[in-house]
């Protein structure tokens, strides 16, 4: 007679076996279901000896609490979503870590993803997180129309935008002083004798790029310097595009003597370009970069505090969840000029 017993039933280590339940834990520990529930949820009313037996049963069976059931009872998932531009960008590392630390302090899990600067992908990711019933969202927006979030906001999903404001909705936002920081950085170059200063930035539709360009223009205007179109280049931060822009500025009949870069990725490419040129060209970058102090000369930067952005946004989010905030607000954090040598070079001609 053939053995008709299912193979899965005969294998002791069935990979796809059913998860142990609280009933299984109760049976192994010899206690009631309510007692197991109290131990699992950290509730009082269980003697130390009974708690020990229940915990031993939990460990032996590999039991894990079913948080989905708790969500149905309490209406909260104890999780928040973080939507970044690019998880690989070093700027977002400390920001993400700060959000995670605040979430952890509030007993919440952080789920994150990147939009790749694509508004459609941002919307898709945000709504996917909402479908999974996250309690709140911290969003670095890629798009400029966030009306798709209105139903979620009305349903009680706490939301804070960070680094850039939301578009066409009223929501909390935490940003750096992009305009003031750029203006200070360019003014620093002007104070060291530069008049022909190039600006290479990100795509102009991005809020931070537009604000930094505005700061560049303001500093030049304050100094009475007329800006030539060939001194400005905005677009994708792809190294090929940035390299071309820098080389054109340096090869012009009347070349720039200094460059202000709009973000860390642009700065890295421009450093490589300048390393290939014999004459000294001053450089100030927006955003600090790793090893900037070890280069020769060190790279002068306008530094923003990414960790403070993330921490402030996350704390604001949990205040929304606690019900202690009334109206949306805009919080602007200061930047800091860090001088290391590259921004202090005098004009070479």
């Amino acid at each position: 007679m053939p053995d008709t017993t299912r193979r899965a039933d005969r294998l002791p280590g069935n990979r796809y076996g059913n998860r142990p339940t609280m009933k299984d834990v109760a049976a192994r520990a010899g206690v009631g279901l309510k007692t197991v529930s109290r131990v699992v949820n950290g509730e009082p009313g269980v003697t130390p000896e009974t708690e020990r037996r229940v915990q031993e049963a939990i460990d032996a069976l590999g039991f894990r609490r079913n948080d989905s059931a708790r969500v149905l009872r309490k209406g909260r998932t104890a999780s928040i979503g973080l939507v970044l531009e690019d998880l690989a960008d070093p700027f977002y590392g400390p920001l993400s870590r700060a959000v995670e630390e605040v979430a952890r302090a509030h007993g919440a899990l952080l789920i994150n993803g990147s939009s790749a600067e694509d508004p459609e992908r941002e919307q898709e990711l945000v709504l996917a997180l909402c479908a999974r019933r996250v309690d709140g969202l911290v969003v670095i927006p890629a798009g400029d129309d966030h009306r798709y979030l209105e139903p979620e906001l009305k349903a009680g999903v706490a939301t804070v935008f960070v680094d850039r404001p939301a578009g066409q909705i009223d929501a909390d936002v935490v940003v750096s002083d992009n305009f003031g920081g750029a203006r200070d950085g360019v003014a620093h170059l002007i104070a060291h004798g530069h008049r022909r200063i190039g600006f290479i930035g990100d795509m102009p539709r991005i809020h931070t790029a537009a604000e930094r360009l505005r700061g560049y223009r303001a500093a030049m205007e304050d100094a009475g310097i007329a800006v030539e179109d060939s001194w400005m280049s905005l677009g994708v931060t792809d190294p090929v595009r940035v390299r071309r822009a820098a080389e054109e500025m340096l090869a012009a009949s009347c070349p720039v003597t200094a460059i202000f870069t709009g973000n860390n990725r642009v700065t890295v490419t421009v450093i490589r370009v300048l390393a290939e040129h014999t004459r000294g060209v001053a450089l100030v970058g927006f955003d600090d970069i790793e090893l900037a102090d070890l280069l020769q000369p060190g790279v002068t930067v306008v530094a923003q505090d990414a960790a403070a952005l993330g921490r402030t946004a996350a704390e604001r989010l949990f205040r929304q969840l606690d019900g202690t905030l009334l109206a949306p607000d805009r919080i602007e954090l200061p930047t800091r000029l860090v001088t290391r040598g590259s921004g202090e070079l005098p004009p070479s001609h």
Side-chain angles (χ1 to χ4, degrees):
M1 293 271 308
D3 183 3
T4 58
T5 305
R6 288 185 304 135
R7 187 167 181 264
D9 290 339
R10 291 187 284 114
L11 292 176
N14 180 17
R15 181 180 175 188
Y16 301 107
N18 293 328
R19 291 180 180 274
T21 66
M22 282 202 288
K23 287 183 180 179
D24 297 325
V25 174
R28 187 181 182 96
V31 299
L33 189 60
K34 182 60 179 175
T35 299
V36 176
S37 177
R38 283 175 176 154
V39 173
V40 168
N41 293 300
E43 297 173 359
V46 182
T47 65
E49 172 59 23
T50 300
E51 183 176 357
R52 181 189 62 77
R53 293 208 323 269
V54 171
Q55 192 60 55
E56 286 179 352
I58 288 172
D59 294 341
L61 294 172
F63 170 79
R64 294 292 180 271
R65 184 176 66 186
N66 183 355
D67 281 338
S68 296
R70 297 179 77 241
V71 169
L72 291 175
R73 291 196 306 272
K74 298 186 176 182
R76 286 283 183 90
T77 62
S79 64
I80 64 170
L82 171 62
V83 179
L84 301 165
E85 176 207 342
D86 183 0
L87 288 169
D89 188 331
F91 172 75
Y92 294 116
L95 188 153
S96 176
R97 178 64 181 272
V99 173
E100 184 177 21
E101 288 300 317
V102 174
R104 185 175 176 220
H106 286 81
L109 176 71
L110 178 67
I111 307 169
N112 59 28
S114 56
S115 67
E117 206 62 76
D118 181 347
E120 290 186 7
R121 184 166 169 178
E122 173 213 304
Q123 179 174 341
E124 179 183 307
L125 183 55
V126 166
L127 294 180
L129 289 167
C130 290
R132 284 158 179 76
R133 297 295 187 264
V134 293
D135 299 325
L137 293 163
V138 175
V139 181
I140 297 173
D144 55 8
D145 185 352
H146 293 91
R147 287 175 293 181
Y148 70 84
L149 256 175
E150 287 179 339
E152 309 300 332
L153 297 175
K154 290 177 181 176
V157 178
T159 305
V160 177
F161 288 81
V162 64
D163 192 44
R164 312 165 187 173
Q168 301 192 51
I169 63 170
D170 195 16
D172 275 317
V173 61
V174 181
V175 296
S176 294
D177 182 8
N178 294 285
F179 168 76
R183 183 181 57 190
D184 291 346
V186 176
H188 184 72
L189 290 168
I190 294 170
H192 283 80
H194 296 277
R195 293 295 179 270
R196 298 195 303 276
I197 303 171
F199 175 85
I200 304 177
D202 210 330
M203 293 180 286
R205 68 171 177 80
I206 298 174
H207 172 79
T208 50
E211 284 294 283
R212 292 167 195 175
L213 174 62
R214 193 166 70 88
Y216 162 82
R217 285 183 171 279
M220 298 291 273
E221 182 179 347
D222 290 344
I225 302 172
V227 176
E228 297 184 14
D229 290 343
S230 61
W231 296 352
M232 297 177 293
S233 177
L234 283 86
V236 295
T237 56
D238 175 76
V240 174
R241 199 282 299 181
V242 173
R243 171 174 284 274
R244 186 186 311 117
E247 289 178 341
E248 288 175 356
M249 291 180 186
L250 295 171
S253 57
C254 203
V256 298
T257 63
I259 296 177
F260 182 78
T261 51
N263 65 33
N264 54 0
R265 286 165 291 185
V266 176
T267 302
V268 169
T269 300
V270 171
I271 288 171
R272 292 194 170 106
V273 173
L274 295 183
E276 300 166 5
H277 285 254
T278 56
R279 63 183 177 85
V281 176
L283 171 67
V284 174
F286 202 109
D287 290 335
D288 210 349
I289 60 171
E290 192 173 3
L291 305 181
D293 57 328
L294 299 181
L295 297 173
Q296 291 297 327
V299 183
T300 295
V301 298
V302 175
Q304 53 178 334
D305 193 337
L309 284 169
R311 183 171 56 255
T312 304
E315 288 172 349
R316 185 97 187 157
L317 183 76
F318 281 98
R319 286 184 63 194
Q320 285 188 25
L321 291 170
D322 291 341
T324 57
L325 290 182
L326 298 177
D329 196 10
R330 174 190 174 93
I331 300 172
E332 187 172 272
L333 303 183
T335 57
R336 182 170 56 96
L337 182 69
V338 182
T339 58
R340 298 192 179 109
S342 69
E344 294 70 60
L345 294 175
S348 57
H349 59 279

